[in-house]
Amino acid sequence: MLGALPGGLPTLSAPSLEIDALRELVPLAFLVALVVMMQTATVSRSFASEDNPPNVNRDYLGLAAANLGAALLFSFPVNASPPRTAVVREAGGRSQLAALVAAAIVGLLTLTGGGLLTHVPYAALAGILLYVALRIVRTHEIAAVARQAPGEAALIALTALAVIALPIPTGVAAGIG
């Protein structure tokens, strides 16, 4: 079970800049930054439409500002969440207003609804994430790559296998490589 989540507002404070802590955090921060950048580019392109063409540079600027705020609030890194984007799209959202309403709902639940997840099994969360992943993977594009460049298709398969089979930091690093 997921268990209850802590609620309430974060407090604003300056992060600690201890050298030993920075030595441990910088490689991890670099890896997280690369993952965030790749996810953002993927979401921007995967969920683009005629009304909202992809603009990855604009999205990177927005993420930079959001992550500065997240660092000051000791929050998780901000990214272009594929699951959240897919849920908004599946619910019929087509504008920034839909994303803002979704963010407001998440914020409200964070403040007041931490106990709602107490009895949700990890398997339910995994099922939601798998559903979203299957909606994002473009099998027809992978098949086209396999026909045109079999070597690149092998790289796609090896990357997917590394991310699935290896520990997360190792698999992501292998995928990035």
Side-chain angles (χ1 to χ4, degrees):
M1 300 296 173
L2 292 176
L5 298 177
L9 292 172
T11 57
L12 186 64
S13 61
S16 170
L17 296 177
E18 297 174 19
I19 298 299
D20 290 336
L22 288 176
R23 279 193 197 118
E24 286 184 41
L25 290 176
V26 167
L28 182 58
F30 181 70
L31 183 63
V32 168
L34 286 174
V35 170
V36 166
M37 290 175 71
M38 287 187 298
Q39 271 193 332
T40 299
T42 300
V43 169
S44 289
R45 290 186 176 101
S46 294
F47 292 98
S49 66
E50 289 181 21
D51 300 334
N52 188 21
N55 185 340
V56 178
N57 290 334
R58 177 199 62 211
D59 294 340
Y60 285 161
L61 286 173
L63 283 173
N67 276 303
L68 264 169
L72 294 174
L73 294 171
F74 293 93
S75 178
F76 287 104
V78 178
N79 71 346
S81 169
R84 191 173 52 243
T85 304
V87 167
V88 169
R89 177 63 67 92
E90 290 290 322
R94 301 283 179 246
S95 71
Q96 292 297 336
L97 180 61
L100 290 172
V101 168
I105 291 169
V106 169
L108 182 65
L109 287 172
T110 300
L111 292 174
T112 63
L116 295 174
L117 297 175
T118 301
H119 301 293
V120 174
Y122 280 112
L125 181 60
I128 292 168
L129 294 175
L130 182 60
Y131 171 78
V132 169
L134 291 174
R135 305 280 294 172
I136 291 174
V137 172
R138 308 278 191 220
T139 53
H140 61 282
E141 290 179 20
I142 295 171
V145 169
R147 285 190 298 276
Q148 295 172 358
E152 287 187 33
L155 279 176
I156 292 170
L158 286 172
T159 301
L161 185 62
V163 170
I164 292 168
L166 298 173
I168 292 174
T170 307
V172 170
I176 290 169

PDB file of all heavy atoms in Angstrom, residues 5-35:
ATOM      1  N   LEU A   5       0.233  10.253   2.715  1.00  0.00           N
ATOM      2  CA  LEU A   5       1.257  11.221   2.327  1.00  0.00           C
ATOM      3  C   LEU A   5       1.250  12.387   3.294  1.00  0.00           C
ATOM      4  O   LEU A   5       0.196  12.787   3.778  1.00  0.00           O
ATOM      5  CB  LEU A   5       0.976  11.744   0.913  1.00  0.00           C
ATOM      6  CG  LEU A   5       0.988  10.722  -0.212  1.00  0.00           C
ATOM      7  CD1 LEU A   5       0.615  11.383  -1.526  1.00  0.00           C
ATOM      8  CD2 LEU A   5       2.347  10.069  -0.318  1.00  0.00           C
ATOM      9  N   PRO A   6       2.427  12.958   3.564  1.00  0.00           N
ATOM     10  CA  PRO A   6       2.436  14.141   4.421  1.00  0.00           C
ATOM     11  C   PRO A   6       1.770  15.312   3.698  1.00  0.00           C
ATOM     12  O   PRO A   6       1.880  15.439   2.485  1.00  0.00           O
ATOM     13  CB  PRO A   6       3.926  14.402   4.654  1.00  0.00           C
ATOM     14  CG  PRO A   6       4.616  13.735   3.518  1.00  0.00           C
ATOM     15  CD  PRO A   6       3.753  12.580   3.110  1.00  0.00           C
ATOM     16  N   GLY A   7       1.076  16.148   4.416  1.00  0.00           N
ATOM     17  CA  GLY A   7       0.403  17.294   3.820  1.00  0.00           C
ATOM     18  C   GLY A   7       0.990  18.596   4.316  1.00  0.00           C
ATOM     19  O   GLY A   7       1.962  18.619   5.068  1.00  0.00           O
ATOM     20  N   GLY A   8       0.395  19.674   3.904  1.00  0.00           N
ATOM     21  CA  GLY A   8       0.828  20.986   4.362  1.00  0.00           C
ATOM     22  C   GLY A   8       1.685  21.702   3.348  1.00  0.00           C
ATOM     23  O   GLY A   8       2.084  21.151   2.327  1.00  0.00           O
ATOM     24  N   LEU A   9       1.972  22.957   3.640  1.00  0.00           N
ATOM     25  CA  LEU A   9       2.765  23.787   2.755  1.00  0.00           C
ATOM     26  C   LEU A   9       4.250  23.645   3.069  1.00  0.00           C
ATOM     27  O   LEU A   9       4.637  23.509   4.226  1.00  0.00           O
ATOM     28  CB  LEU A   9       2.361  25.257   2.926  1.00  0.00           C
ATOM     29  CG  LEU A   9       0.962  25.626   2.446  1.00  0.00           C
ATOM     30  CD1 LEU A   9       0.626  27.055   2.854  1.00  0.00           C
ATOM     31  CD2 LEU A   9       0.857  25.460   0.942  1.00  0.00           C
ATOM     32  N   PRO A  10       5.085  23.692   2.035  1.00  0.00           N
ATOM     33  CA  PRO A  10       6.521  23.655   2.281  1.00  0.00           C
ATOM     34  C   PRO A  10       7.006  24.992   2.832  1.00  0.00           C
ATOM     35  O   PRO A  10       6.342  26.009   2.681  1.00  0.00           O
ATOM     36  CB  PRO A  10       7.113  23.394   0.894  1.00  0.00           C
ATOM     37  CG  PRO A  10       6.086  23.900  -0.056  1.00  0.00           C
ATOM     38  CD  PRO A  10       4.752  23.724   0.619  1.00  0.00           C
ATOM     39  N   THR A  11       8.152  24.964   3.464  1.00  0.00           N
ATOM     40  CA  THR A  11       8.733  26.206   3.963  1.00  0.00           C
ATOM     41  C   THR A  11       9.873  26.622   3.054  1.00  0.00           C
ATOM     42  O   THR A  11      10.636  25.790   2.566  1.00  0.00           O
ATOM     43  CB  THR A  11       9.267  26.026   5.401  1.00  0.00           C
ATOM     44  OG1 THR A  11      10.222  24.971   5.404  1.00  0.00           O
ATOM     45  CG2 THR A  11       8.142  25.686   6.360  1.00  0.00           C
ATOM     46  N   LEU A  12       9.992  27.902   2.839  1.00  0.00           N
ATOM     47  CA  LEU A  12      11.018  28.454   1.970  1.00  0.00           C
ATOM     48  C   LEU A  12      12.309  28.637   2.760  1.00  0.00           C
ATOM     49  O   LEU A  12      12.308  29.245   3.833  1.00  0.00           O
ATOM     50  CB  LEU A  12      10.551  29.810   1.417  1.00  0.00           C
ATOM     51  CG  LEU A  12      11.432  30.469   0.375  1.00  0.00           C
ATOM     52  CD1 LEU A  12      11.497  29.621  -0.879  1.00  0.00           C
ATOM     53  CD2 LEU A  12      10.891  31.842   0.039  1.00  0.00           C
ATOM     54  N   SER A  13      13.411  28.083   2.261  1.00  0.00           N
ATOM     55  CA  SER A  13      14.707  28.259   2.916  1.00  0.00           C
ATOM     56  C   SER A  13      15.815  27.998   1.907  1.00  0.00           C
ATOM     57  O   SER A  13      15.588  27.412   0.850  1.00  0.00           O
ATOM     58  CB  SER A  13      14.844  27.335   4.122  1.00  0.00           C
ATOM     59  OG  SER A  13      14.765  25.999   3.719  1.00  0.00           O
ATOM     60  N   ALA A  14      17.001  28.435   2.230  1.00  0.00           N
ATOM     61  CA  ALA A  14      18.150  28.252   1.354  1.00  0.00           C
ATOM     62  C   ALA A  14      18.738  26.858   1.550  1.00  0.00           C
ATOM     63  O   ALA A  14      18.874  26.397   2.680  1.00  0.00           O
ATOM     64  CB  ALA A  14      19.210  29.308   1.648  1.00  0.00           C
ATOM     65  N   PRO A  15      19.111  26.184   0.463  1.00  0.00           N
ATOM     66  CA  PRO A  15      19.709  24.862   0.593  1.00  0.00           C
ATOM     67  C   PRO A  15      21.104  24.942   1.208  1.00  0.00           C
ATOM     68  O   PRO A  15      21.787  25.950   1.106  1.00  0.00           O
ATOM     69  CB  PRO A  15      19.796  24.351  -0.845  1.00  0.00           C
ATOM     70  CG  PRO A  15      19.265  25.405  -1.726  1.00  0.00           C
ATOM     71  CD  PRO A  15      18.892  26.578  -0.910  1.00  0.00           C
ATOM     72  N   SER A  16      21.529  23.860   1.832  1.00  0.00           N
ATOM     73  CA  SER A  16      22.870  23.752   2.404  1.00  0.00           C
ATOM     74  C   SER A  16      23.883  23.565   1.276  1.00  0.00           C
ATOM     75  O   SER A  16      23.621  22.851   0.317  1.00  0.00           O
ATOM     76  CB  SER A  16      22.925  22.559   3.355  1.00  0.00           C
ATOM     77  OG  SER A  16      24.249  22.307   3.733  1.00  0.00           O
ATOM     78  N   LEU A  17      25.025  24.193   1.392  1.00  0.00           N
ATOM     79  CA  LEU A  17      26.045  24.088   0.353  1.00  0.00           C
ATOM     80  C   LEU A  17      27.324  23.429   0.881  1.00  0.00           C
ATOM     81  O   LEU A  17      28.430  23.900   0.629  1.00  0.00           O
ATOM     82  CB  LEU A  17      26.361  25.476  -0.214  1.00  0.00           C
ATOM     83  CG  LEU A  17      25.207  26.161  -0.943  1.00  0.00           C
ATOM     84  CD1 LEU A  17      25.594  27.545  -1.385  1.00  0.00           C
ATOM     85  CD2 LEU A  17      24.750  25.340  -2.128  1.00  0.00           C
ATOM     86  N   GLU A  18      27.189  22.326   1.593  1.00  0.00           N
ATOM     87  CA  GLU A  18      28.338  21.604   2.106  1.00  0.00           C
ATOM     88  C   GLU A  18      29.041  20.892   0.954  1.00  0.00           C
ATOM     89  O   GLU A  18      28.403  20.263   0.114  1.00  0.00           O
ATOM     90  CB  GLU A  18      27.887  20.580   3.146  1.00  0.00           C
ATOM     91  CG  GLU A  18      27.244  21.203   4.371  1.00  0.00           C
ATOM     92  CD  GLU A  18      26.680  20.156   5.310  1.00  0.00           C
ATOM     93  OE1 GLU A  18      27.096  18.985   5.206  1.00  0.00           O
ATOM     94  OE2 GLU A  18      25.819  20.514   6.123  1.00  0.00           O
ATOM     95  N   ILE A  19      30.353  20.975   0.923  1.00  0.00           N
ATOM     96  CA  ILE A  19      31.145  20.413  -0.170  1.00  0.00           C
ATOM     97  C   ILE A  19      30.938  18.910  -0.303  1.00  0.00           C
ATOM     98  O   ILE A  19      30.763  18.396  -1.409  1.00  0.00           O
ATOM     99  CB  ILE A  19      32.651  20.737   0.013  1.00  0.00           C
ATOM    100  CG1 ILE A  19      32.872  22.248  -0.026  1.00  0.00           C
ATOM    101  CG2 ILE A  19      33.508  20.030  -1.032  1.00  0.00           C
ATOM    102  CD1 ILE A  19      32.470  22.909  -1.325  1.00  0.00           C
ATOM    103  N   ASP A  20      30.941  18.185   0.804  1.00  0.00           N
ATOM    104  CA  ASP A  20      30.760  16.729   0.737  1.00  0.00           C
ATOM    105  C   ASP A  20      29.394  16.367   0.164  1.00  0.00           C
ATOM    106  O   ASP A  20      29.272  15.434  -0.629  1.00  0.00           O
ATOM    107  CB  ASP A  20      30.928  16.101   2.121  1.00  0.00           C
ATOM    108  CG  ASP A  20      32.379  16.158   2.603  1.00  0.00           C
ATOM    109  OD1 ASP A  20      33.285  16.246   1.737  1.00  0.00           O
ATOM    110  OD2 ASP A  20      32.602  16.124   3.819  1.00  0.00           O
ATOM    111  N   ALA A  21      28.375  17.099   0.570  1.00  0.00           N
ATOM    112  CA  ALA A  21      27.027  16.839   0.049  1.00  0.00           C
ATOM    113  C   ALA A  21      26.971  17.164  -1.442  1.00  0.00           C
ATOM    114  O   ALA A  21      26.340  16.436  -2.221  1.00  0.00           O
ATOM    115  CB  ALA A  21      26.003  17.667   0.810  1.00  0.00           C
ATOM    116  N   LEU A  22      27.620  18.235  -1.849  1.00  0.00           N
ATOM    117  CA  LEU A  22      27.619  18.610  -3.266  1.00  0.00           C
ATOM    118  C   LEU A  22      28.321  17.549  -4.115  1.00  0.00           C
ATOM    119  O   LEU A  22      27.870  17.266  -5.231  1.00  0.00           O
ATOM    120  CB  LEU A  22      28.281  19.971  -3.455  1.00  0.00           C
ATOM    121  CG  LEU A  22      27.477  21.174  -2.970  1.00  0.00           C
ATOM    122  CD1 LEU A  22      28.281  22.452  -3.134  1.00  0.00           C
ATOM    123  CD2 LEU A  22      26.159  21.278  -3.716  1.00  0.00           C
ATOM    124  N   ARG A  23      29.392  16.967  -3.604  1.00  0.00           N
ATOM    125  CA  ARG A  23      30.099  15.915  -4.355  1.00  0.00           C
ATOM    126  C   ARG A  23      29.187  14.720  -4.619  1.00  0.00           C
ATOM    127  O   ARG A  23      29.293  14.072  -5.653  1.00  0.00           O
ATOM    128  CB  ARG A  23      31.334  15.462  -3.582  1.00  0.00           C
ATOM    129  CG  ARG A  23      32.497  16.378  -3.766  1.00  0.00           C
ATOM    130  CD  ARG A  23      33.788  15.742  -3.249  1.00  0.00           C
ATOM    131  NE  ARG A  23      34.752  16.788  -3.076  1.00  0.00           N
ATOM    132  CZ  ARG A  23      35.302  17.135  -1.925  1.00  0.00           C
ATOM    133  NH1 ARG A  23      35.025  16.465  -0.832  1.00  0.00           N
ATOM    134  NH2 ARG A  23      36.164  18.119  -1.865  1.00  0.00           N
ATOM    135  N   GLU A  24      28.332  14.417  -3.669  1.00  0.00           N
ATOM    136  CA  GLU A  24      27.399  13.298  -3.844  1.00  0.00           C
ATOM    137  C   GLU A  24      26.228  13.686  -4.735  1.00  0.00           C
ATOM    138  O   GLU A  24      25.727  12.871  -5.502  1.00  0.00           O
ATOM    139  CB  GLU A  24      26.863  12.843  -2.490  1.00  0.00           C
ATOM    140  CG  GLU A  24      27.866  12.079  -1.662  1.00  0.00           C
ATOM    141  CD  GLU A  24      27.240  11.566  -0.374  1.00  0.00           C
ATOM    142  OE1 GLU A  24      26.082  11.107  -0.424  1.00  0.00           O
ATOM    143  OE2 GLU A  24      27.911  11.644   0.670  1.00  0.00           O
ATOM    144  N   LEU A  25      25.761  14.928  -4.616  1.00  0.00           N
ATOM    145  CA  LEU A  25      24.547  15.332  -5.315  1.00  0.00           C
ATOM    146  C   LEU A  25      24.754  15.743  -6.769  1.00  0.00           C
ATOM    147  O   LEU A  25      23.854  15.571  -7.586  1.00  0.00           O
ATOM    148  CB  LEU A  25      23.876  16.483  -4.561  1.00  0.00           C
ATOM    149  CG  LEU A  25      23.246  16.115  -3.228  1.00  0.00           C
ATOM    150  CD1 LEU A  25      22.695  17.350  -2.538  1.00  0.00           C
ATOM    151  CD2 LEU A  25      22.155  15.078  -3.428  1.00  0.00           C
ATOM    152  N   VAL A  26      25.915  16.287  -7.113  1.00  0.00           N
ATOM    153  CA  VAL A  26      26.117  16.804  -8.470  1.00  0.00           C
ATOM    154  C   VAL A  26      25.944  15.717  -9.539  1.00  0.00           C
ATOM    155  O   VAL A  26      25.220  15.939 -10.513  1.00  0.00           O
ATOM    156  CB  VAL A  26      27.464  17.548  -8.584  1.00  0.00           C
ATOM    157  CG1 VAL A  26      27.833  17.805 -10.031  1.00  0.00           C
ATOM    158  CG2 VAL A  26      27.392  18.865  -7.821  1.00  0.00           C
ATOM    159  N   PRO A  27      26.557  14.532  -9.404  1.00  0.00           N
ATOM    160  CA  PRO A  27      26.316  13.513 -10.438  1.00  0.00           C
ATOM    161  C   PRO A  27      24.848  13.103 -10.534  1.00  0.00           C
ATOM    162  O   PRO A  27      24.315  12.940 -11.630  1.00  0.00           O
ATOM    163  CB  PRO A  27      27.184  12.329  -9.996  1.00  0.00           C
ATOM    164  CG  PRO A  27      28.196  12.913  -9.081  1.00  0.00           C
ATOM    165  CD  PRO A  27      27.540  14.082  -8.426  1.00  0.00           C
ATOM    166  N   LEU A  28      24.190  12.953  -9.395  1.00  0.00           N
ATOM    167  CA  LEU A  28      22.775  12.605  -9.400  1.00  0.00           C
ATOM    168  C   LEU A  28      21.940  13.727 -10.005  1.00  0.00           C
ATOM    169  O   LEU A  28      21.020  13.484 -10.791  1.00  0.00           O
ATOM    170  CB  LEU A  28      22.302  12.288  -7.980  1.00  0.00           C
ATOM    171  CG  LEU A  28      20.856  11.858  -7.832  1.00  0.00           C
ATOM    172  CD1 LEU A  28      20.561  10.622  -8.663  1.00  0.00           C
ATOM    173  CD2 LEU A  28      20.526  11.615  -6.376  1.00  0.00           C
ATOM    174  N   ALA A  29      22.259  14.963  -9.670  1.00  0.00           N
ATOM    175  CA  ALA A  29      21.536  16.110 -10.226  1.00  0.00           C
ATOM    176  C   ALA A  29      21.710  16.170 -11.738  1.00  0.00           C
ATOM    177  O   ALA A  29      20.762  16.480 -12.473  1.00  0.00           O
ATOM    178  CB  ALA A  29      22.022  17.405  -9.582  1.00  0.00           C
ATOM    179  N   PHE A  30      22.906  15.870 -12.224  1.00  0.00           N
ATOM    180  CA  PHE A  30      23.146  15.850 -13.668  1.00  0.00           C
ATOM    181  C   PHE A  30      22.288  14.787 -14.337  1.00  0.00           C
ATOM    182  O   PHE A  30      21.658  15.038 -15.364  1.00  0.00           O
ATOM    183  CB  PHE A  30      24.634  15.603 -13.935  1.00  0.00           C
ATOM    184  CG  PHE A  30      24.998  15.587 -15.383  1.00  0.00           C
ATOM    185  CD1 PHE A  30      24.976  16.755 -16.130  1.00  0.00           C
ATOM    186  CD2 PHE A  30      25.361  14.406 -15.998  1.00  0.00           C
ATOM    187  CE1 PHE A  30      25.305  16.743 -17.479  1.00  0.00           C
ATOM    188  CE2 PHE A  30      25.688  14.379 -17.347  1.00  0.00           C
ATOM    189  CZ  PHE A  30      25.663  15.550 -18.089  1.00  0.00           C
ATOM    190  N   LEU A  31      22.220  13.604 -13.742  1.00  0.00           N
ATOM    191  CA  LEU A  31      21.405  12.519 -14.285  1.00  0.00           C
ATOM    192  C   LEU A  31      19.927  12.904 -14.283  1.00  0.00           C
ATOM    193  O   LEU A  31      19.224  12.706 -15.282  1.00  0.00           O
ATOM    194  CB  LEU A  31      21.635  11.243 -13.466  1.00  0.00           C
ATOM    195  CG  LEU A  31      20.918   9.983 -13.945  1.00  0.00           C
ATOM    196  CD1 LEU A  31      21.410   9.586 -15.322  1.00  0.00           C
ATOM    197  CD2 LEU A  31      21.157   8.859 -12.963  1.00  0.00           C
ATOM    198  N   VAL A  32      19.454  13.483 -13.187  1.00  0.00           N
ATOM    199  CA  VAL A  32      18.058  13.920 -13.107  1.00  0.00           C
ATOM    200  C   VAL A  32      17.780  14.995 -14.161  1.00  0.00           C
ATOM    201  O   VAL A  32      16.747  14.970 -14.832  1.00  0.00           O
ATOM    202  CB  VAL A  32      17.711  14.410 -11.687  1.00  0.00           C
ATOM    203  CG1 VAL A  32      16.367  15.128 -11.661  1.00  0.00           C
ATOM    204  CG2 VAL A  32      17.704  13.245 -10.709  1.00  0.00           C
ATOM    205  N   ALA A  33      18.711  15.933 -14.327  1.00  0.00           N
ATOM    206  CA  ALA A  33      18.524  16.994 -15.322  1.00  0.00           C
ATOM    207  C   ALA A  33      18.410  16.409 -16.728  1.00  0.00           C
ATOM    208  O   ALA A  33      17.553  16.833 -17.519  1.00  0.00           O
ATOM    209  CB  ALA A  33      19.672  17.997 -15.243  1.00  0.00           C
ATOM    210  N   LEU A  34      19.243  15.425 -17.041  1.00  0.00           N
ATOM    211  CA  LEU A  34      19.154  14.801 -18.366  1.00  0.00           C
ATOM    212  C   LEU A  34      17.826  14.089 -18.563  1.00  0.00           C
ATOM    213  O   LEU A  34      17.203  14.186 -19.620  1.00  0.00           O
ATOM    214  CB  LEU A  34      20.318  13.826 -18.563  1.00  0.00           C
ATOM    215  CG  LEU A  34      21.678  14.453 -18.822  1.00  0.00           C
ATOM    216  CD1 LEU A  34      22.765  13.392 -18.854  1.00  0.00           C
ATOM    217  CD2 LEU A  34      21.678  15.245 -20.114  1.00  0.00           C
ATOM    218  N   VAL A  35      17.377  13.369 -17.535  1.00  0.00           N
ATOM    219  CA  VAL A  35      16.095  12.670 -17.632  1.00  0.00           C
ATOM    220  C   VAL A  35      14.959  13.670 -17.809  1.00  0.00           C
ATOM    221  O   VAL A  35      14.066  13.488 -18.646  1.00  0.00           O
ATOM    222  CB  VAL A  35      15.863  11.770 -16.395  1.00  0.00           C
ATOM    223  CG1 VAL A  35      14.443  11.245 -16.357  1.00  0.00           C
ATOM    224  CG2 VAL A  35      16.856  10.621 -16.386  1.00  0.00           C
TER     225      VAL A  35
END
